[in-house]
Amino acid sequence: MRLTRIDDRACIQVGEQHYDIARLSDQQLPSELDVLVRHELLPQVAALATRAPGHDDAVLNGQVGPPIRRPGTIFGWGLNFGDHTTQSGLAQDELPTLFVKFPSAVTGPYDPIVIPQGCDQVDWEAELAIVIGKPGRHITGGDAMSHVAGLMCAQDVSERHVQLNAGTQFCLGKGFDTFCPWGPALVTLDELPDLASLEISCRLNGELVQRASVGEMLCDVAELITRLSRFTTLRAGDVILGGSPGGVGLFQTPPRFLANGDVLETAITGIGSLLNHVTDENHADQQPS
């Protein structure tokens, strides 16, 4: 099942059509995908999927927004690909490298990434986003995947000077507005039977800068959930960013960062692509919608 947000309304995507869930359910289900996830209503949504074709009155063709607009906690998991870990010169030890992104960083799959005033080291990190659909603490490996509502494609945009200044300020450097585009759909696991084969890629102005498979993650999706739930209760609507492959701008020679006018394309096979134009705060209103 592919779930999208069109004109701020939760939809089921069937082929190229997006069907309003509230209309399909005769207003029995809410129009917010966040609410559907938090209240564990996706099984009821799945039951509507076969009814969607033919309901032309429920088709929406408007603006595509982030599937999850008001997440709970956004957890970032660092150093989860071997090449990125090697390029950083750091090592993953017994405790994970964790940070959080502010919910206000979330933006849509085709919305602009805005470089904040005074910042010139904005970097890219293509990532798999795991949306939690069932709460739990001390979740076992065998039960972990039952806690997943679905997956999205995401960008963990990062301002490196802020991130690495004053010791490390991961939350500040990764938490600016528009620094977490994701989407274009929330895809449930039944649509993705072979997670390890999914390819994560990122292109900057058409140039391939990152590519890896989900199978190269040092901690797979189940292990991320298991390990993270040792430290905190995971709640429906929380999102885990599963780490970035190598190829980020910081570790290129010379370092390379995003600039006004750049176009960043992030993709995960089976889930879809983000296409984000880069602007700065002085030009934000002049970018394509």
Side-chain angles (χ1 to χ4, degrees):
M1 183 168 60
R2 296 180 63 86
L3 302 170
T4 57
R5 180 187 298 278
I6 308 294
D7 287 340
D8 287 330
R9 297 184 66 84
C11 294
I12 302 174
Q13 182 180 355
V14 181
E16 298 300 318
Q17 302 279 38
H18 302 263
Y19 295 88
D20 187 311
I21 289 170
R23 292 180 189 172
L24 283 177
S25 68
D26 297 322
Q27 310 303 322
Q28 296 301 302
L29 291 174
S31 61
E32 281 282 339
L33 188 49
D34 307 63
V35 176
L36 292 166
V37 170
R38 284 198 301 271
H39 290 274
E40 303 180 48
L41 295 172
L42 295 192
Q44 289 91 315
V45 175
L48 296 174
T50 57
R51 294 172 48 187
H55 282 262
D56 294 342
D57 60 320
V59 174
L60 295 180
N61 295 296
Q63 182 177 0
V64 182
I68 300 297
R69 183 172 58 177
R70 297 185 180 92
T73 303
I74 306 171
F75 298 97
W77 192 286
L79 305 178
N80 199 27
F81 282 83
D83 56 353
H84 184 61
T85 301
T86 300
Q87 290 167 9
S88 72
L90 302 173
Q92 183 69 277
D93 57 20
E94 182 179 350
L95 293 177
T97 301
L98 283 174
F99 56 89
V100 296
K101 289 177 83 82
F102 306 135
S104 56
V106 172
T107 194
Y110 312 120
D111 293 335
I113 295 167
V114 180
I115 298 173
Q117 291 183 3
C119 294
D120 61 2
Q121 295 185 17
V122 177
D123 203 350
W124 58 86
E125 295 192 23
E127 307 207 8
L128 177 71
I130 304 145
V131 180
I132 299 300
K134 183 174 72 174
R137 180 83 193 278
H138 299 298
I139 299 167
T140 64
D143 191 41
M145 299 307 286
S146 72
H147 289 260
V148 177
L151 305 176
M152 303 182 293
C153 180
Q155 258 291 340
D156 175 22
V157 183
S158 308
E159 211 295 330
R160 300 302 191 187
H161 175 74
V162 175
Q163 177 190 346
L164 301 175
N165 197 26
T168 51
Q169 294 283 354
F170 276 59
C171 295
L172 294 181
K174 292 172 173 283
F176 287 100
D177 290 1
T178 77
F179 272 27
C180 193
W182 60 30
L186 173 65
V187 183
T188 53
L189 295 180
D190 57 294
E191 297 272 344
L192 304 166
D194 185 9
L195 293 186
S197 70
L198 301 184
E199 182 180 271
I200 303 170
S201 65
C202 179
R203 294 180 183 273
L204 176 59
N205 301 325
E207 176 190 348
L208 183 66
V209 290
Q210 290 186 286
R211 181 164 61 190
S213 71
V214 169
E216 295 175 64
M217 292 167 60
L218 301 178
C219 293
D220 64 15
V221 172
E223 188 174 356
L224 291 175
I225 292 169
T226 298
R227 294 187 65 187
L228 185 53
S229 71
R230 296 175 191 166
F231 300 96
T232 186
T233 298
L234 296 178
R235 303 187 185 278
D238 288 346
V239 180
I240 304 170
L241 301 180
S244 172
V248 302
L250 178 64
F251 302 127
Q252 297 192 19
T253 305
R256 186 178 177 187
F257 300 111
L258 297 176
N260 183 56
D262 284 343
V263 178
L264 196 64
E265 182 177 5
T266 312
I268 301 180
T269 53
I271 297 176
S273 300
L274 318 177
L275 186 66
N276 303 103
H277 292 256
V278 180
T279 185
D280 57 42
E281 288 191 316
N282 295 326
H283 298 88
D285 294 334
Q286 304 172 21
Q287 289 297 300
S289 60

Short mmCIF file of all heavy atoms in Angstrom, two decimals, residues 95-96 99 193 205 225 227 246 250 254 259 262 264 267:
data_model
loop_
_atom_site.label_atom_id
_atom_site.label_comp_id
_atom_site.label_asym_id
_atom_site.label_seq_id
_atom_site.Cartn_x
_atom_site.Cartn_y
_atom_site.Cartn_z
N LEU A 95 27.67 1.97 21.89
CA LEU A 95 26.49 2.84 21.93
C LEU A 95 26.30 3.49 20.57
O LEU A 95 27.26 3.93 19.94
CB LEU A 95 26.65 3.91 23.01
CG LEU A 95 26.67 3.42 24.45
CD1 LEU A 95 26.91 4.58 25.41
CD2 LEU A 95 25.36 2.72 24.80
N PRO A 96 25.08 3.58 20.08
CA PRO A 96 24.86 4.17 18.76
C PRO A 96 25.10 5.68 18.75
O PRO A 96 25.00 6.34 19.79
CB PRO A 96 23.38 3.86 18.49
CG PRO A 96 22.77 3.72 19.84
CD PRO A 96 23.84 3.12 20.72
N PHE A 99 20.92 11.21 17.20
CA PHE A 99 20.55 12.63 17.34
C PHE A 99 19.07 12.72 17.00
O PHE A 99 18.45 11.74 16.56
CB PHE A 99 21.39 13.51 16.40
CG PHE A 99 21.31 13.12 14.95
CD1 PHE A 99 20.34 13.65 14.12
CD2 PHE A 99 22.21 12.21 14.41
CE1 PHE A 99 20.26 13.28 12.79
CE2 PHE A 99 22.14 11.83 13.07
CZ PHE A 99 21.15 12.36 12.26
N PRO A 193 9.02 -6.56 -0.44
CA PRO A 193 9.35 -7.87 0.15
C PRO A 193 10.84 -8.11 0.35
O PRO A 193 11.22 -8.92 1.18
CB PRO A 193 8.77 -8.87 -0.86
CG PRO A 193 8.72 -8.12 -2.15
CD PRO A 193 8.42 -6.70 -1.79
N ASN A 205 22.52 18.06 -9.11
CA ASN A 205 22.53 18.62 -10.47
C ASN A 205 22.78 17.55 -11.53
O ASN A 205 23.50 17.75 -12.50
CB ASN A 205 23.58 19.74 -10.57
CG ASN A 205 23.32 20.87 -9.58
OD1 ASN A 205 22.17 21.20 -9.29
ND2 ASN A 205 24.39 21.44 -9.04
N ILE A 225 15.41 -0.71 15.25
CA ILE A 225 14.26 -0.62 16.14
C ILE A 225 14.57 -1.27 17.48
O ILE A 225 14.29 -0.71 18.56
CB ILE A 225 13.03 -1.26 15.48
CG1 ILE A 225 12.59 -0.42 14.28
CG2 ILE A 225 11.89 -1.44 16.48
CD1 ILE A 225 11.56 -1.10 13.39
N ARG A 227 17.52 -1.86 18.95
CA ARG A 227 18.54 -1.15 19.74
C ARG A 227 18.00 0.18 20.26
O ARG A 227 18.23 0.54 21.41
CB ARG A 227 19.79 -0.93 18.91
CG ARG A 227 20.53 -2.22 18.55
CD ARG A 227 21.86 -1.94 17.88
NE ARG A 227 22.78 -1.27 18.79
CZ ARG A 227 23.98 -0.78 18.41
NH1 ARG A 227 24.35 -0.87 17.15
NH2 ARG A 227 24.76 -0.20 19.29
N GLY A 246 28.16 6.61 2.08
CA GLY A 246 29.25 7.52 1.79
C GLY A 246 28.92 8.42 0.60
O GLY A 246 27.96 8.19 -0.13
N LEU A 250 30.90 16.84 2.65
CA LEU A 250 31.93 17.20 3.62
C LEU A 250 33.23 16.45 3.39
O LEU A 250 34.32 17.00 3.58
CB LEU A 250 31.41 16.90 5.03
CG LEU A 250 32.39 17.17 6.19
CD1 LEU A 250 32.73 18.65 6.28
CD2 LEU A 250 31.80 16.66 7.50
N PRO A 254 38.04 19.03 -2.98
CA PRO A 254 37.76 19.73 -1.72
C PRO A 254 36.32 19.51 -1.28
O PRO A 254 35.51 19.04 -2.07
CB PRO A 254 38.00 21.19 -2.10
CG PRO A 254 37.64 21.25 -3.55
CD PRO A 254 38.08 19.95 -4.14
N ALA A 259 24.37 24.99 -2.85
CA ALA A 259 24.33 26.42 -3.13
C ALA A 259 23.01 26.77 -3.80
O ALA A 259 22.32 25.91 -4.36
CB ALA A 259 25.50 26.83 -4.02
N ASP A 262 21.02 24.91 -6.90
CA ASP A 262 21.27 23.47 -7.05
C ASP A 262 19.95 22.70 -7.04
O ASP A 262 18.93 23.15 -6.50
CB ASP A 262 22.15 22.95 -5.91
CG ASP A 262 23.62 23.33 -6.07
OD1 ASP A 262 24.01 23.71 -7.18
OD2 ASP A 262 24.37 23.26 -5.06
N LEU A 264 18.64 18.82 -5.97
CA LEU A 264 19.01 17.59 -5.27
C LEU A 264 17.92 16.56 -5.50
O LEU A 264 16.75 16.79 -5.19
CB LEU A 264 19.17 17.88 -3.78
CG LEU A 264 19.90 16.85 -2.93
CD1 LEU A 264 21.37 16.72 -3.35
CD2 LEU A 264 19.82 17.23 -1.45
N ALA A 267 16.54 9.21 -4.16
CA ALA A 267 15.64 8.14 -4.58
C ALA A 267 15.92 6.85 -3.82
O ALA A 267 17.07 6.57 -3.44
CB ALA A 267 15.78 7.88 -6.09
#
